[in-house]
Amino acid sequence: MNVPSAKETTAIPLVIFNASEPQPRKAEIMIEFYELAATDDKQVFSPYCWRIRLALHHKGLPFKSIPWRMTQKDRIAFADTERVPVLVDGEQKLADSWKILEYLDERYPTPSLEMNRAELRFFRHWTEMVMFPGMIRMIVDEIHKTVHEKDRDYFRATREKTFGMPLEEFAANKEAKLEEFRKSLNPLRATLKAVDFLGGSQPNLADYLVFSGLMWARCTSPMPLLAEEDSVFAWRERMLDLFDGMARSIPCREIN
Amino acid sequence: MNVPSAKETTAIPLVIFNASEPQPRKAEIMIEFYELAATDDKQVFSPYCWRIRLALHHKGLPFKSIPWRMTQKDRIAFADTERVPVLVDGEQKLADSWKILEYLDERYPTPSLEMNRAELRFFRHWTEMVMFPGMIRMIVDEIHKTVHEKDRDYFRATREKTFGMPLEEFAANKEAKLEEFRKSLNPLRATLKAVDFLGGSQPNLADYLVFSGLMWARCTSPMPLLAEEDSVFAWRERMLDLFDGMARSIPCREIN
């Protein structure tokens, strides 16, 4: 396994114990987290990886970010997968974002992600089935420009096969699609007019799931998907401020 | 105020006290609940009223159902509103379904509806902004046939003004709309493949909000909106079974 470069996040010096089985001390934890990156190692943009990144910060877990590219299948074969996120925690080698979230919440229960709350699953499916399809058809040509040079041919070939047409054709007519996309956010918009976060006064998994989708677009496309007067925009600003501005510090392509 | 008929639900003989301020004994509570009814007093069909009906059952609160028709504005003027649900609890006279839910959860905290959980608001807005608009354009002509005779002219006039066309035209082409409606349920469908209720092993407010929308169609339209092999259909069956089959006992027009 070839690990070229790694960034370490700041470990929060907090020791938490679970009543039944003690959580490991933070200083003893060394989580390796493979996430999809652009040419710039720091420009991580996969919405599925963002879920994990935010969950790790939510729990204050130190981790080593390992930038990965789409064509490096061999580097994650050890986890029996071809896709990131991949998380390695000691003997544990995990793929699939939802399974990783469940693992983290079981292994490091405090503070909780409340993975046992069934209604939070709805936000997973809403983002995957409503938000992502609404976004990809506006941003896929720009994602192609964002991915690492060595991933570009692979990205174009696989996506054009899926969509059955050139990326540029699939991503045409962005303005009309933007209107439809913004309309699809209406339930989110109405909710965020009344509360600071989907989690109330603090963000919870629902916030992380939806925000991860927006980070995908922010990091890959110059097109602003949200109007500044939108309650979703104001909420995204609050999310960008979390964890000492962690998400805001990630290189983005959105033009504001 | 003219109250023609009333049905009393079975009081659950359970006395619950809140540590700080005691909940009233169930035997002392007499809630009056104005809900929209068809010609048959028992055929209650408003999705906004269904939320309250389900919340009252969730909390095991005895209540008197007062059937109300759209043209009886004078009968609810005391609550400073022209629409049901209206709930009267002693000195309290409340309108607006969300305010009533908040009142009930504050006044009768156990078992909780968790109105403090912000992400549950999303289900309110998703039902109102995605489900209801998707349904009304398939069922409004049948709702017109369902409402009380004396409400029919009023219903047609107000709705045709809103939609800018005859009800029958607005509700045309049902099959194409059904496909789109079912697609809009995809996030719900995926969630309910993994869990029994949005609330997990037991229903919570999210279940009540979504189910209330489906009861609107079930009580007013012969068109089956759900395919029998759908996970949403199976969940609706479980919801119909709740509270000794309360919802199942309501006269319905859906043909199965």
Side-chain angles (χ1 to χ4, degrees), chain A residues 216-237:
Chain A
W216 184 35
R218 178 180 162 90
C219 296
T220 60
S221 166
M223 185 182 187
L225 297 192
L226 303 173
E228 288 193 25
E229 65 275 16
D230 189 345
S231 63
V232 182
F233 184 95
W235 162 82
R236 194 184 66 158
E237 288 294 304

Side-chain angles (χ1 to χ4, degrees), chain A residues 46-233:
Chain A
S46 155
Y48 297 98
C49 292
W50 266 98
R51 294 174 178 179
I52 307 307
R53 174 171 272 269
L54 291 159
L56 290 166
H57 279 271
H58 177 84
K59 291 181 174 290
L61 293 170
F63 65 93
K64 192 185 284 186
S65 167
I66 303 179
W68 176 90
R69 275 85 197 192
M70 291 170 183
T71 41
Q72 297 178 312
K73 308 288 187 205
D74 57 320
R75 284 184 57 213
I76 53 171
F78 70 87
D80 201 21
T81 185
E82 296 198 331
R83 293 179 187 195
V84 290
V86 164
L87 188 130
V88 180
D89 184 16
E91 295 302 301
Q92 292 290 338
K93 293 168 181 61
L94 296 137
D96 182 289
S97 70
W98 202 256
K99 282 188 187 140
I100 294 172
L101 290 173
E102 287 180 326
Y103 165 79
L104 289 173
D105 217 30
E106 196 172 326
R107 184 73 185 95
Y108 307 102
T110 310
S112 180
L113 283 167
E114 301 184 289
M115 292 296 292
N116 60 320
R117 289 199 69 101
E119 83 271 13
L120 292 174
R121 288 173 178 266
F122 185 92
F123 291 88
R124 169 193 175 179
H125 297 300
W126 184 75
T127 54
E128 293 180 12
M129 296 173 143
V130 178
M131 272 187 80
F132 295 180
M135 292 162 86
I136 188 85
R137 63 200 196 118
M138 292 187 289
I139 66 173
V140 71
D141 54 340
E142 296 292 340
I143 300 177
H144 178 255
K145 296 178 198 164
T146 304
V147 298
H148 194 286
E149 290 85 344
K150 65 183 174 192
D151 282 353
R152 281 191 198 150
D153 289 348
Y154 170 83
F155 184 82
R156 180 179 288 279
T158 51
R159 272 53 177 182
E160 292 190 346
K161 190 176 172 196
T162 301
F163 304 136
M165 66 184 85
L167 296 184
E168 290 70 19
E169 190 182 327
F170 187 70
N173 201 10
K174 293 186 202 300
E175 285 307 318
K177 290 171 179 172
L178 181 61
E179 195 176 336
E180 212 176 311
F181 172 73
R182 287 182 175 175
K183 191 180 166 212
S184 79
L185 301 184
N186 277 343
L188 182 66
R189 183 167 293 123
T191 305
L192 292 170
K193 275 182 187 162
V195 295
D196 281 349
F197 298 101
L198 296 173
S201 58
Q202 297 293 323
N204 72 4
L205 182 61
D207 294 276
Y208 300 144
L209 292 168
V210 179
F211 178 68
S212 291
L214 294 180
M215 284 306 288
W216 184 35
R218 178 180 162 90
C219 296
T220 60
S221 166
M223 185 182 187
L225 297 192
L226 303 173
E228 288 193 25
E229 65 275 16
D230 189 345
S231 63
V232 182
F233 184 95

Side-chain angles (χ1 to χ4, degrees), chain B residues 53-65:
Chain B
R53 174 171 271 269
L54 291 158
L56 290 166
H57 279 273
H58 178 84
K59 291 181 176 290
L61 293 169
F63 67 92
K64 193 185 284 186
S65 166

Side-chain angles (χ1 to χ4, degrees), chain B residues 21-68:
Chain B
E21 193 190 340
Q23 286 198 165
R25 288 168 182 271
K26 292 282 161 83
E28 293 167 0
I29 301 167
M30 188 34 68
I31 290 171
E32 291 185 328
F33 172 39
Y34 291 77
E35 47 184 346
L36 183 59
T39 303
D40 182 343
D41 282 351
K42 288 194 289 290
Q43 194 169 351
V44 289
F45 63 91
S46 154
Y48 296 97
C49 292
W50 265 98
R51 295 174 177 180
I52 307 305
R53 174 171 271 269
L54 291 158
L56 290 166
H57 279 273
H58 178 84
K59 291 181 176 290
L61 293 169
F63 67 92
K64 193 185 284 186
S65 166
I66 304 180
W68 177 89

Side-chain angles (χ1 to χ4, degrees), chain B residues 14 69 84 100 114 119 126 141-142 150 189 216 224 233:
Chain B
L14 178 67
R69 274 85 197 194
V84 289
I100 294 172
E114 300 183 290
E119 83 271 13
W126 184 75
D141 54 339
E142 295 293 340
K150 64 184 173 192
R189 182 168 294 121
W216 184 34
F233 184 95

